[in-house]
């Protein structure tokens, strides 16, 4: 996965131009995804576009979490109320969808298979 490819996708997903922030988020997402890869280099190369999409979606989710943390949850002016804390929910749903597309290439970090010892 090329960080620059992830960065370009992230720019489209966020419509943001803070290059340093987006580059940092892209690099972090690529590293997290690469750490979970359990495939050959050939398989990774064959699924480059889908892996970049998954990394960009993860980075976008992190971006929206940061945006929500830095802004108010809602704003009320008279009878009009605007809520701003829904971006990360949609970004998370998109990130999960993109990750499912490459799930065969990734280790599942939420799954444990093993023997539990009886401690009684």
């Amino acid at each position: 996965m090329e960080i620059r490819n992830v960065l370009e996708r992230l720019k489209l997903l966020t419509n943001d131009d803070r290059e340093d922030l987006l580059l940092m988020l892209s690099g972090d997402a690529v590293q997290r995804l690469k750490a979970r890869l359990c495939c050959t280099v050939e398989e990774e190369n064959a699924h480059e576009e889908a892996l970049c999409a998954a990394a960009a979606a993860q980075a976008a989710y992190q971006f929206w979490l940061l945006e929500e943390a830095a802004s108010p949850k809602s704003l009320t002016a008279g009878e009009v109320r605007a809520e701003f804390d829904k971006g990360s929910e949609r970004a998370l749903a998109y990130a999960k969808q993109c990750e499912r597309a490459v799930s065969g290439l990734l280790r599942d970090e939420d799954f444990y298979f093993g023997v539990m010892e009886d401690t009684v």
Side-chain angles (χ1 to χ4, degrees):
M1 279 175 287
E2 293 290 326
I3 292 177
R4 287 287 165 194
N5 294 342
V6 174
L7 176 62
E8 291 307 313
R9 284 178 175 271
L10 181 58
K11 286 179 181 178
L12 293 172
L13 290 172
T14 61
N15 199 25
D16 195 275
D17 62 355
R18 292 176 283 181
E19 186 87 13
D20 291 339
L21 173 64
L22 299 181
L23 185 58
M24 177 193 71
L25 293 172
S26 297
D28 291 349
V30 166
Q31 292 303 332
R32 280 193 306 274
L33 213 52
K34 279 191 173 192
R36 293 181 56 204
L37 283 176
C38 61
C39 62
T40 66
V41 174
E42 292 80 20
E43 289 172 320
E44 180 182 351
N45 290 338
H47 295 89
E48 170 79 14
E49 192 170 332
L51 287 167
C52 284
Q58 272 188 13
Y61 174 58
Q62 294 298 317
F63 172 86
W64 288 112
L65 286 176
L66 289 171
E67 288 293 298
E68 287 173 8
S71 64
K73 290 187 181 218
S74 65
L75 177 65
T76 304
E79 294 182 20
V80 177
R81 180 177 173 90
E83 293 190 19
F84 304 107
D85 62 348
K86 302 296 181 198
S88 65
E89 288 177 17
R90 292 186 298 271
L92 178 60
Y94 180 65
K96 286 182 178 183
Q97 181 181 8
C98 288
E99 191 172 304
R100 277 192 297 276
V102 293
S103 63
L105 306 173
L106 303 174
R107 274 188 294 284
D108 187 356
E109 295 178 333
D110 296 328
F111 180 76
Y112 173 76
F113 182 77
V115 176
M116 300 295 289
E117 293 186 29
D118 190 12
T119 57
V120 178

